Amino acid sequence: DEGVAAFAQASTLGSTPELSQTALTFNNLCWQGSLKGHAAEVMDACERAVAVTPADWRFRDSRGVARALTGNFKGAIEDFREFIIGSDDKEACAQRERWITSLENGKNPFTPAELESLRYSR
């Protein structure tokens, strides 16, 4: 909750060198906030991380989780496909393939148990 509040306050400061160099911080907030039930609140951080470094498939992965949790299944699928293209981790790619299949079938794969397992995966 404190991280989300701090991000909201920092977002009002506009574009500064400090903010433009914090894609990793935005991504971490996106990932952790999403896994802890604050996907809607951290979506702006997710978007900023991807906007600063659009080719970073790891940031697309984090945004994909947030998108799925906020009901944007199409966007989540697009982001997870970018992860699969960029990553050489076969196990993680297979996991994203399962998520994509679930989302294509209209089901959100992010159960409380799945979210809990992801909290310690990075």
Side-chain angles (χ1 to χ4, degrees):
D1 290 339
E2 287 179 30
V4 172
F7 173 73
Q9 181 180 9
S11 295
T12 66
L13 299 176
S15 181
T16 66
E18 293 83 13
L19 286 178
S20 67
Q21 296 176 14
T22 59
L24 182 59
T25 301
F26 289 143
N27 183 62
N28 289 338
L29 180 59
C30 174
W31 181 256
Q32 293 298 325
S34 295
L35 298 183
K36 294 179 181 174
H38 299 283
E41 293 92 340
V42 298
M43 186 58 76
D44 190 46
C46 303
E47 297 293 352
R48 286 179 185 230
V50 172
V52 172
T53 53
D56 194 319
W57 47 268
R58 296 167 301 171
F59 296 176
R60 297 284 301 267
D61 186 51
S62 298
R63 186 178 69 178
V65 173
R67 283 177 157 182
L69 290 169
T70 58
N72 182 355
F73 289 7
K74 181 181 178 200
I77 291 167
E78 291 170 2
D79 284 340
F80 295 141
R81 286 191 174 136
E82 288 298 318
F83 176 92
I84 293 166
I85 290 168
S87 177
D88 61 359
D89 183 332
K90 293 182 191 298
E91 186 176 324
C93 289
Q95 181 181 48
R96 273 53 176 190
E97 289 285 359
R98 288 190 299 274
W99 293 349
I100 288 169
T101 299
S102 182
L103 291 164
E104 287 175 335
N105 290 317
K107 297 180 183 173
N108 196 325
F110 297 104
T111 63
E114 183 75 6
L115 293 173
E116 182 67 26
S117 73
L118 291 173
R119 285 187 186 166
Y120 306 103
S121 66
R122 288 192 182 175

